[in-house]
Structure formats: structure tokens, C-alpha cells
Amino acid sequence: MASLTRFSTPVGWGRVMHRFVLAERDQLPVWIVVAFGAGIAAWFVLPGRDWHWAMIALGAATALAVLALRRSWAAMELGARCIFVAALALAAGTAHMSWRAERVAADPLPAPWFGMLTGRVIEREMLPARGQVRLVLQTAPALGLPEKVRINLDQARDDPQARPGAIISGRARLMPPAQASLPGGYSFAQRAWFDQLGATGSMLDRPRIVRASEAASGFDTLRARLSAHIQAQIEGGAGGIAATLATGDRGAISEEDAEAMRRSGLAHLLSISGLHVTALIGAVWLITLKLLALSPPLARAWQLPLVAAGMGAFAGIGYTLLTGAEVPTIRSCAAAMLVLVALALGRDPVSPRLIAAGAMLVLLLWPETLMGPSFQLSFAAVTAIVALHDHPRMRGWAALDLSWPGRVARFLAMLFLTGLLIEFTLMPIALHHFSKAGLYGALANMVAIPLTTFVIMPLEALALLLDLAGWGAPVWWLCGTALNALLALAHAVSDTPGSITLFPKMAPWVFGMFVVGGLWLFLWRSRARWLGLAPVTLAGVLVALQPVPDLLITGDGQHLAVAGKRGQLVVLRARTGDYALQALSESAAFDGQATAMEDWPDATCSAEFCSFVLSAHARNYAVLVGRNRERVPERALAAACRRADIVIAGRWLPRSCRPRWLKIDRAMLAETGGLALYLESQKVRTVAEDHRGHPWWDRAVELREQAMEAKRAARLSTPPR
């Protein structure tokens, strides 16, 4: 560290900053990863390629300016070195994300398609809870379709021979990957771009096997057989969760059970990640260490921590491959490997640097995961846990020599504090992605985590081991009883009044304040860390004051909700699908039974239109909404439009339709995507604001326009009959 102090001491604020950076120098490497991640986030937030290049140029220019002012690395004081490295990391993150987006580029389907689909099966996923099988196909080049598509197949029409490697054929209906239906909502098109999926849809026939597959891979076969075996031993929802814990197969979990786990704050137990990988590796490490220690010759001849770490690594990698090697599992496995290396070397395994190293590995391989809830939830939780248990008071408390009742009480207290901290840490992330957050998750996790880690997973492992000799039935019964208790806990917590708090979609910059404040609070160690509470508190106030949009319109114009009425959500159609209704409810922060517009006393509906009046800021807004695409006399439509402030329809409206403020029809929605209208401020928020300038949006728009131009040209070139 002596080389870091060979510079002149700054004065004033510079001296304060110098002392702060010098005191926190051990934490500085972690912030390199934060800066790299900020560059990736900037790529998603900035609206277009020119802005991305500007960010890269700004980071490089800042680094060069610092270097020019100080002339050399040796002449830089510590603060200047921090600025230099952070600027380079920021530019590198944006450049890396740009490269990744271009490298995975795959054109989406420009328009709906129906025909005979032929392709080679790449992936197969059973979804018994939905009665479906999900297949990913590599399509035949002659079809002119995207190279990779995903289709759903009814389980009744499934052919077991349609497994990876087989070539199948059948009638199918394909659609372009769906953009976000509402502002701030989930965009499958974004995920599909990085997964290189060009279309999704369904197969309408039992697939015809054109060519049978070769033998499936060992792990694929083992995963399928193991999942089926576990579900045969434990029936119902408990069997689905048991299969998930062992193989990562979530297809057998019913939507009711999955929703209960989400609402109770226990959904993380269904995702094979840190908890499961750590439990397995920790158990293997401890058992190996204790067994080898029973033999004095082995204990003298071998370095037992190193051998135990190797066995734990072997078990962790095998479990990761068995459960499908999903990104969260790989991320957790990589972090666990770093912990094992630290243990083998006698270093402290509870370190922010280890977390940063694991995060950096994931960001280098899959930088797009930074913006997803899985990455954010898991790393936020682990960072909060490390920050809590790395605090000197927590370390001192953990080192106290207590009696066994005291140790049990300490364990429960630490578990509660950890769960409470995780609940508050993850709440902004849950609100940002799902518009909801649990209130009783800390209490539920106090029971669920020990139950899963110390009872359910060991019992399941023991039952599988005893099944080799046919003796596993009693243990399976115990495991099923524990799993049913876990499900009962989830349903009890989720059904408790006030278990879920809902808020409208927060603005991205408000979520950014939560992230910056949280990182500042958890990654520094001096008293200055508490300054992170300021942006977190301000962001919390802004979320509480966030208004509910008065009107929500999906991107296809077929679904609409009046959301400004307190305690009520009015939807355009009584038979609104589950997916659309969920999207509208989340954006409106509504948890209840929606009302159909035709049953709403404030609306007047005919076969073609509904009209109603909304009040905001001492002004009334007359709204006219189209209910179908039936032809309406243009003169009557024009007169109705002139009497309305806002006209909404899922079809093209003629130019003669001129409302006093907004005309929202198919032409406008094709440019903007879904809309959220705030009448108080006369603000219109669009899906395009969040996604325009990024390849999954721009390329879809470009291909759609090309397809429409081709249709027009074909129509004009066709001679009249």
C-alpha cells in the first residue's frame, strides 16, 4: 500500500475525499465491477446506438483526460486512479453489451405465420401443470422462418420421440416475440433477442417424426427420469416442488402453488440458485471433511480442506449440470467455487470481493442478465447478507461462547435479522419488476429456509440414495409431509390480509436511486456508508407518491383498463385473458376482481363503442372506446370523435376522426406500443420510450414495415379482375 500514498495530499474537499478513498481502499476493487455493470445498464437505458457510442467515447475521453493531466499512472493520486479505472470500466461495460447484442442478433418473425413447420428439436421441456410440452426447434432453411422458434404442444398430442435431435413436422401457428404490453412491463421480445428466438407459437397437430433422434445426452435422460421418479413417489404439488429441488424442473408446479410461493416471499426456493447449491456443496464439504478426519493416517497424509473442497466442487458442478445449467445456477455455482477456493486457502469466504468476482464472471458471459430480476434479486440478497455478517458487531456476536439454548436463540435471531434485511433489500427490486412486494416474507423465510435446507433437501437426498436398494418409501413419506408443510405455510401467508403491497410501476430513474443508495450502503465500511440511506429514502417517498395511471391501453389496442378509480379496475372486455388481466392489474397496482366496462355504471356501451367521462384536475375528459372492428359509418364516427377528448380503438381510424386531444388507434400503437395515460399531468408514457433504439424493437419495426411494403407492392402489381 505504500505505493498508493506517494503523492501530495490534497486540500479542502479534496483532502476529505482523499481520506475517504484511502480508508476504503480495500473495497475499491468491488466498485470496478459496479462501474462495469453501470456501463451495461447505460446501454439499456440510453435510447439508441449513437448514445451508446457517445457513452463509450465519454468514458474513454474521461480516462484519457485524467491520464493527460497526471501524465502517468505513477503520478496519479488515489482519487485520480479511481476516476481513471471507473471511466474505463464504464466504457468497457457499454462496449461489451453492444458487442453482445450484435453477436446474438437473430431477426424476429415480421408477421404472424401459419403453415407446415419442420425443424430439429433443440430443447424439450415438460409442463405437466399446464398440460403442455414446450419445444425449441431449429427450423428448416427452406421455410424462410427464423432459425430458432419456440412452440407449445398440448400434452395429449405429444410424442415422446420428439426429443432433442429428432426432426419433426406438423401444422403450426407462429407469432413474433411479444413486446411489452404496457410501459414498464415485461418484454419477452427483449429476452427472445438474447435467446435468439425468432418466433413463438403452438403446434396444432401431433408432430410427425421425420427422423428419430439419437440417444439423448446423459444429463437430459437422467433429469427426465429423476423428475418422473420423484413425482411418482410424492403426489400433488409437493411432488412438483420435490422435482424442482432435485432437477430444476418446474413444469409440475401448479400456478396456484407458484403464486402462493411468490406472494409469501418463498419463490426463491423454486429457483435452483444460491440456497440449493450452497446447501449441497456445504453438506458434501462437511461430510467429506468429517469422514476423512476419522482416519489419522489420511489426516496426516492429505490436506483435508483441499480434498473436501474438491469433493464439494465436484458435487456442485454435477448438480448444476443435472438441473439444466441455467444462468442463476451457474452464477451460484461459480460463486460457491470461489468460496471453496477461499476455504481451501484458509482465506475469509465471506467477502464482497468474492461476490464481485462471481458477478463479473456472469456479466462477462451474459451481460443482459444484469437487467433481469434473477440477477438483481440473488446478488442483492447475497450482498446484503455479507454486509450484515461482515459488520464488526455481528462478527463479535457470532464469536461469543454461549450455551446451547443461547446458540439456538442466536441462530434464530440472526436468521430473523437476515430475513428482515433481505426483505427490505429485495422489496424495491420486486416493486420494479412485479409491482408487488411481500410484507411477511421475513417471518415465512424464518421457517421455510431451515425447513428446506436442513429437512427437505437432506430427506430427499437420503430417499434417492435408499431407492437404490428399494428402501426409500418411509423417507419419501417424511419428505412429502415436510413439503406439504412448506406449501401450507406459503398458502397461509399469501392468504393473510395485507400479505402483498402493490404500487404503480416506478420510473427507471427512481429504481436507479434505490440501486445507487443500496450499493453505497452495503459496499462501503466506514460511517460514510450511511449516506446511502438518503437516496433510498427519497426513492421510497417517490414510490409512495407515484400516481396510478388513469388509462392503460395494451399495444394491440384490444385491452384497456380504467385504473384511476380507487379500489376498482374497469376492463374493456369481460373475457379478458389471464395474461392481459395480470399485466393491467400490475400496472394499476390493483389486486381484486376487475369490472367489465359494460357492467360499469359510469359507462354507456353499444355494440361498437363505450363512452364515459373521467375527471382530473377540475376538468372532465370524454373518452370513446371501440369494442370491435365492425365497420361504422364514417360520418357518424367523425361526429362522435369531435365530441370526445380521447378516442381509443384497436383498428385504424380515418383522418376524419379528430378528437380534442388524443386519437389512439392501430397506426399510433404500432409506433408507440402500449400506453399509460396520466390525466392530472396530461402525460402519456409509452412502451417505445423504454425500448426504442434497441435491436429487439427497432428490428421488429423495420421488418414489419418491410412486410407491409411488400404486401402493398404485391397488391398494386396484381391486375384487376
Side-chain angles (χ1 to χ4, degrees):
M1 294 298 174
S3 61
L4 297 176
T5 59
R6 290 198 298 267
F7 44 75
S8 58
T9 303
V11 296
W13 280 104
R15 177 177 296 178
V16 174
M17 292 302 299
H18 165 72
R19 289 177 177 174
F20 170 73
V21 173
L22 195 61
E24 297 278 9
R25 59 187 178 275
D26 290 340
Q27 300 298 98
L28 295 179
V30 178
W31 286 91
I32 298 175
V33 182
V34 174
F36 186 79
I40 295 173
W43 186 90
F44 283 94
V45 173
L46 294 175
R49 185 175 299 181
D50 293 341
W51 286 90
H52 301 155
W53 283 111
M55 175 59 69
I56 296 170
L58 177 63
T62 302
L64 290 175
V66 173
L67 187 61
L69 289 173
R70 295 296 182 267
R71 298 180 180 267
S72 69
W73 176 263
M76 290 185 194
E77 61 268 19
L78 188 56
R81 291 182 181 182
C82 292
I83 296 173
F84 177 83
V85 174
L88 284 183
L90 187 71
T94 305
H96 181 59
M97 190 64 245
S98 299
W99 171 80
R100 168 72 173 170
E102 292 294 332
R103 191 174 70 86
V104 301
D107 284 345
L109 188 70
W113 180 91
F114 172 80
M116 188 63 67
L117 176 65
T118 303
R120 183 173 64 87
V121 180
I122 303 174
E123 299 175 18
R124 173 186 172 92
E125 181 183 4
M126 297 293 297
L127 303 172
R130 303 181 189 177
Q132 291 181 336
V133 178
R134 180 169 290 169
L135 302 175
V136 177
L137 304 180
Q138 183 179 15
T139 61
L143 295 175
L145 294 172
E147 182 179 358
K148 193 174 170 184
V149 302
R150 193 184 78 181
I151 59 171
N152 291 329
L153 175 66
D154 286 343
Q155 204 165 1
R157 297 184 180 131
D158 180 35
D159 189 328
Q161 296 298 316
R163 58 175 184 253
I167 296 178
I168 65 173
S169 180
R171 288 185 310 138
R173 181 184 293 111
L174 298 178
M175 298 289 291
Q179 304 285 349
S181 58
L182 292 166
Y186 171 71
S187 172
F188 178 74
Q190 177 177 327
R191 175 186 168 185
W193 179 268
F194 293 104
D195 288 346
Q196 297 181 297
L197 287 175
T200 61
S202 57
M203 186 164 279
L204 308 178
D205 301 321
R206 183 181 178 87
R208 183 172 63 88
I209 307 299
V210 178
R211 190 181 73 188
S213 69
E214 299 176 357
S217 70
F219 278 108
D220 289 338
T221 303
L222 179 60
R223 186 183 310 119
R225 292 177 59 186
L226 188 60
S227 180
H229 173 74
I230 292 172
Q231 292 175 54
Q233 303 302 316
I234 303 178
E235 297 180 352
I241 295 180
T244 300
L245 295 176
T247 67
D249 178 11
R250 301 178 61 175
I253 301 176
S254 67
E255 183 57 34
E256 292 79 10
D257 289 340
E259 180 63 18
M261 296 291 282
R262 285 192 291 267
R263 292 174 65 93
S264 60
L266 304 179
H268 63 94
L269 299 176
L270 303 180
S271 176
I272 303 300
S273 55
L275 174 66
H276 313 80
V277 175
T278 302
L280 176 68
I281 292 178
V284 172
W285 181 85
L286 184 61
I287 292 171
T288 303
L289 193 63
K290 295 298 183 182
L291 288 178
L292 292 178
L294 294 176
S295 172
L298 290 180
R300 288 192 295 268
W302 294 354
Q303 295 184 14
L304 298 190
L306 191 60
V307 176
M311 292 299 294
F314 179 78
I317 293 172
Y319 186 51
T320 299
L321 295 173
L322 177 63
T323 54
E326 298 289 338
V327 172
T329 317
I330 296 174
R331 178 176 64 240
S332 303
C333 184
M337 295 302 105
L338 293 173
V339 171
L340 286 175
V341 170
L343 288 171
L345 297 177
R347 303 290 296 275
D348 183 8
V350 183
S351 168
R353 294 192 180 193
L354 288 177
I355 302 172
M360 192 67 180
L361 176 63
V362 174
L363 294 179
L364 288 173
L365 296 176
W366 305 282
E368 68 276 7
T369 60
L370 174 72
M371 306 304 288
S374 176
F375 180 96
Q376 294 172 7
L377 290 169
S378 59
F379 274 103
V382 174
T383 303
I385 291 171
V386 170
L388 175 66
H389 291 273
D390 194 43
H391 194 278
R393 291 187 181 179
M394 290 296 292
R395 284 180 176 269
W397 190 24
L400 290 176
D401 186 16
L402 302 175
S403 60
W404 72 264
R407 289 196 296 270
V408 171
R410 181 175 60 190
F411 172 77
L412 293 176
M414 283 188 169
L415 191 63
F416 176 73
L417 288 175
T418 302
L420 195 63
L421 178 64
I422 291 175
E423 199 68 31
F424 281 107
T425 301
L426 301 187
M427 190 175 291
I429 302 174
L431 288 174
H432 175 65
H433 290 283
F434 313 117
S435 297
K436 61 179 70 173
L439 297 179
Y440 307 135
L443 294 174
N445 276 287
M446 278 189 67
V447 178
I449 291 178
L451 180 64
T452 303
T453 307
F454 303 119
V455 179
I456 294 174
M457 292 185 68
L459 283 175
E460 189 168 354
L462 179 60
L464 289 171
L465 182 63
L466 292 177
D467 273 349
L468 297 176
W471 300 338
V475 184
W476 280 121
W477 180 83
L478 290 173
C479 184
T481 302
L483 284 164
N484 283 318
L486 178 66
L487 276 176
L489 172 67
H491 282 281
V493 172
S494 66
D495 293 339
T496 301
S499 62
I500 288 293
T501 302
L502 294 100
F503 288 92
K505 295 286 184 182
M506 70 176 74
W509 61 271
V510 175
F511 179 62
M513 292 176 64
F514 276 119
V515 173
V516 171
L519 290 173
W520 189 276
L521 187 62
F522 291 143
L523 295 185
W524 295 129
R525 291 183 173 177
S526 64
R527 291 183 178 179
R529 69 192 304 174
W530 300 110
L531 294 175
L533 290 175
V536 169
T537 304
L538 179 58
V541 172
L542 293 174
V543 167
L545 298 177
Q546 175 76 20
V548 175
D550 297 281
L551 282 171
L552 292 163
I553 304 103
T554 59
D556 57 5
Q558 298 303 305
H559 301 286
L560 173 145
V562 180
K565 299 287 183 180
R566 291 190 177 275
Q568 191 176 25
L569 182 73
V570 181
V571 295
L572 179 59
R573 291 177 173 83
R575 295 185 178 180
T576 303
D578 291 340
Y579 179 79
L581 184 60
Q582 180 181 357
L584 292 168
S585 299
E586 287 182 356
S587 295
F590 177 80
D591 186 19
Q593 189 70 32
T595 303
M597 189 165 290
E598 59 191 20
D599 299 327
W600 186 31
D602 294 348
T604 302
C605 293
S606 65
E608 293 81 18
F609 288 94
C610 282
S611 62
F612 52 90
V613 176
L614 295 178
S615 300
H617 200 56
R619 178 182 170 182
N620 292 330
Y621 292 84
V623 184
L624 183 67
V625 182
R627 301 185 68 187
N628 53 46
R629 298 183 180 180
E630 297 296 327
R631 188 176 182 85
V632 179
E634 184 174 353
R635 181 174 297 180
L637 177 60
C641 289
R642 284 194 297 271
R643 293 192 297 270
D645 296 285
I646 304 169
V647 176
I648 304 167
R651 61 181 179 181
W652 282 283
L653 294 174
R655 293 184 179 179
S656 57
C657 177
R658 296 179 179 178
R660 290 189 286 264
W661 180 31
L662 278 176
K663 182 173 77 172
I664 302 171
D665 64 350
R666 194 169 180 179
M668 177 180 177
L669 291 171
E671 297 180 2
T672 64
L675 302 172
L677 274 60
Y678 300 85
L679 300 182
E680 189 77 22
S681 58
Q682 289 197 341
K683 177 184 175 182
V684 180
R685 186 180 174 190
T686 70
V687 170
E689 293 174 2
D690 300 332
H691 299 281
R692 185 185 289 127
H694 295 89
W696 56 88
W697 178 274
D698 291 352
R699 190 58 180 154
V701 171
E702 182 182 347
L703 291 173
R704 186 168 62 243
E705 291 177 350
Q706 290 177 2
M708 293 176 64
E709 286 295 332
K711 283 185 178 180
R712 291 194 200 100
R715 220 170 19 239
L716 292 174
S717 62
T718 302
R721 294 183 179 180

